[in-house]
Amino acid sequence: MSNVALVSGGTRGIGAAVARALAAEGRRVAVTYHGDEAAAARFKQEAGIPVYRWDVADESACRAGIEQVEADLGPVSILVNNAGITRDGMFHRMTWDQWRAVLSTNLDSMFAMTRVVIEGMRERRFGRIVNISSINGQKGQVGQTNYSAAKAGVIGFTKALALENASRGVTVNAVCPGYVNTDMVAAVAEEVRAGIVAGIPLGRLGDVEEIAQAVCYLTSEKAAFCTGSVLTINGGQYIANG
């Protein structure tokens, strides 16, 4: 059975933590990145995990990139769709480019990445797909109609794909992180960050490793009976129904 895991947006933040955790469990891991060459080089040197550059919103780039990963490492049996961007702004001022950029990278990528690997997983009767959504895809957020719409779409995509592929041994689940201690959150003004933490019942930001361990569980044999699930990890900031 193939033991290859592919993590999109895997050189920083949650993606990097997921890649490291999967590698620590003995997976053969590859990660993608798009823009930050310095971060990718640093991650590759520190983690010893191969990195591949392509745009996850580009269907042909995803196909070519994944074909190269499989030629190098073997068939992908674990896919973690983590890549995402924000282009925040109030909707009445939001541009079409802001809308399309976020929907393309955060939602169109679900099709572009998953479509390439799903047939192989079905044929081998084994696959683990984990899609990273967000607390704001569950509850919405001011200034993020584009991001919230995309991340809500990830949840619907997850549930439908899980139903289609359960009989073929392929599980599909989503993780919805709340506010996590990443570079993006660290860049927020201190007073804003303090306000965020004040709204989290556990009284702190999440750690990337906490999200990574949840992904590790969902990709393991121990989670074979778990599909179509949405795992909320947000310190109690938002408690979803079901």
Side-chain angles (χ1 to χ4, degrees):
M1 179 66 64
S2 172
N3 198 31
V4 176
L6 176 60
V7 182
S8 70
T11 61
R12 297 186 300 164
I14 290 173
V18 168
R20 291 176 187 272
L22 289 171
E25 292 195 340
R27 313 287 191 181
R28 301 184 68 191
V29 181
V31 303
T32 79
Y33 75 102
H34 187 208
D36 195 332
E37 289 277 5
R42 186 166 56 250
F43 173 83
K44 181 178 180 180
Q45 181 177 15
E46 293 174 355
I49 293 172
V51 301
Y52 297 80
R53 183 176 186 175
W54 73 77
D55 181 359
V56 294
D58 184 328
E59 183 184 4
S60 60
C62 289
R63 184 164 298 280
I66 293 174
E67 286 176 355
Q68 186 61 59
V69 170
E70 295 195 325
D72 293 343
L73 301 180
V76 172
S77 61
I78 297 168
L79 174 64
V80 182
N81 285 311
N82 168 74
I85 63 169
T86 57
R87 296 290 185 272
D88 294 351
M90 298 297 284
F91 183 75
H92 62 280
R93 297 191 185 97
M94 186 173 289
T95 67
W96 177 250
D97 287 345
Q98 286 175 301
W99 175 267
R100 277 310 317 160
V102 171
L103 268 290
S104 293
T105 297
N106 296 15
L107 187 57
D108 290 353
S109 63
M110 296 292 129
F111 178 92
M113 291 287 289
T114 310
R115 184 64 183 84
V116 183
V117 302
I118 193 68
E119 289 184 69
M121 289 180 177
R122 286 171 59 88
E123 289 171 4
R124 295 187 297 272
R125 292 186 171 272
F126 180 85
R128 296 283 186 269
I129 298 170
V130 180
N131 302 315
I132 307 301
S133 181
S134 168
I135 184 176
N136 293 338
Q138 296 176 299
K139 72 175 187 61
Q141 177 64 291
V142 173
Q144 287 195 330
T145 52
N146 49 5
Y147 185 81
S148 296
K151 291 301 189 178
V154 170
I155 294 172
F157 173 86
T158 297
K159 292 182 176 183
L161 194 66
L163 292 173
E164 290 184 7
N165 291 281
S167 66
R168 306 296 293 188
V170 180
T171 66
V172 189
N173 295 285
V175 174
C176 289
Y179 288 91
V180 177
N181 192 15
T182 61
D183 291 342
M184 183 170 64
V185 174
V188 172
E190 186 175 345
E191 61 272 18
V192 175
R193 192 163 60 251
I196 291 171
V197 172
I200 301 173
L202 284 182
R204 64 173 176 86
L205 298 173
D207 292 325
V208 291
E209 289 79 10
E210 292 172 311
I211 310 303
Q213 288 305 309
V215 174
C216 284
Y217 167 70
L218 291 172
T219 60
S220 72
E221 290 285 0
K222 296 176 182 178
F225 198 56
C226 184
T227 196
S229 294
V230 179
L231 180 55
T232 298
I233 310 175
N234 61 37
Q237 187 175 9
Y238 178 75
I239 299 176
N241 294 323

